[in-house]
Amino acid sequence: MKITEPETTLILNFCFSKFNVGIWTSREGIKQNVLKKINKNHPDKDKRYLYFKPLHLLWDNRENKLPWKPREYNETNIVLIDDPPKKAILNPKYTAVFPYTYNRDDKKDDGPDGDFCKYLDSLAAADSVKKFIEHNEFEQPPI
């Protein structure tokens, strides 16, 4: 079930008020076009590819293409949020949270007053993302 535009706006506005927000997707236009061509000719074309989101790429900022200094963001102050835990398997423990896919009929998922935003609000007040997550898992456990 998709999140409606008003619900998305409420949740994003909440996040923007508490955090520096970055969106990392494996569905960018260029990647999709290349993958379509690869998948069309690949012998395993019926199998899906798994994309990982290694946080060290953000932390290290080796090519200085990101608007922060290397290690300015790290395991104490950045969190990956994704619904499939398998995308974070290359990352250190307690650097990601895995909410179940949004369900607009579940009132616990209801925007800024919902369980996830309450969890994020507590996370924003924590001294260390990693320590907070270690003691306060949310919904799906890591792999």
Side-chain angles (χ1 to χ4, degrees):
M1 190 171 289
K2 288 193 167 199
I3 302 174
T4 65
E5 185 66 32
E7 292 162 332
T8 301
T9 301
L10 281 172
I11 293 168
L12 284 175
N13 284 341
F14 169 84
C15 290
F16 290 140
S17 73
K18 301 280 181 182
F19 303 97
N20 293 329
V21 175
I23 300 183
W24 186 349
T25 180
S26 54
R27 297 181 187 227
E28 296 176 43
I30 294 173
K31 288 181 185 177
Q32 284 298 88
N33 291 336
V34 170
L35 288 174
K36 281 179 192 174
K37 290 178 183 177
I38 292 171
N39 290 342
K40 187 176 181 181
N41 299 307
H42 195 276
D44 293 331
K45 65 184 175 189
D46 294 330
K47 294 182 181 177
R48 292 183 175 251
Y49 290 90
L50 175 61
Y51 296 96
F52 298 111
K53 295 181 178 176
L55 290 172
H56 75 87
L57 296 174
L58 301 175
W59 299 336
D60 297 344
N61 192 10
R62 288 189 184 140
E63 296 177 20
N64 291 315
K65 290 184 177 180
L66 301 170
W68 56 81
K69 296 174 186 163
R71 301 297 299 172
E72 182 176 340
Y73 288 100
N74 56 59
E75 56 276 354
T76 68
N77 61 11
I78 203 169
V79 60
L80 173 66
I81 300 169
D82 213 330
D83 53 351
K86 60 189 174 190
K87 289 190 177 181
I89 202 164
L90 300 177
N91 296 327
K93 285 178 95 172
Y94 314 119
T95 57
V97 292
F98 312 103
Y100 292 110
T101 302
Y102 178 80
N103 178 355
R104 64 187 261 156
D105 296 327
D106 184 349
K107 291 302 174 195
K108 294 186 301 183
D109 273 354
D110 199 15
D113 296 324
D115 287 350
F116 190 52
C117 286
K118 289 176 184 173
Y119 178 85
L120 291 177
D121 200 32
S122 297
L123 178 63
D127 292 332
S128 169
V129 165
K130 192 171 181 178
K131 286 180 184 176
F132 180 85
I133 294 171
E134 180 179 6
H135 299 288
N136 302 280
E137 280 189 4
F138 188 82
E139 293 188 351
Q140 298 181 81
I143 292 178

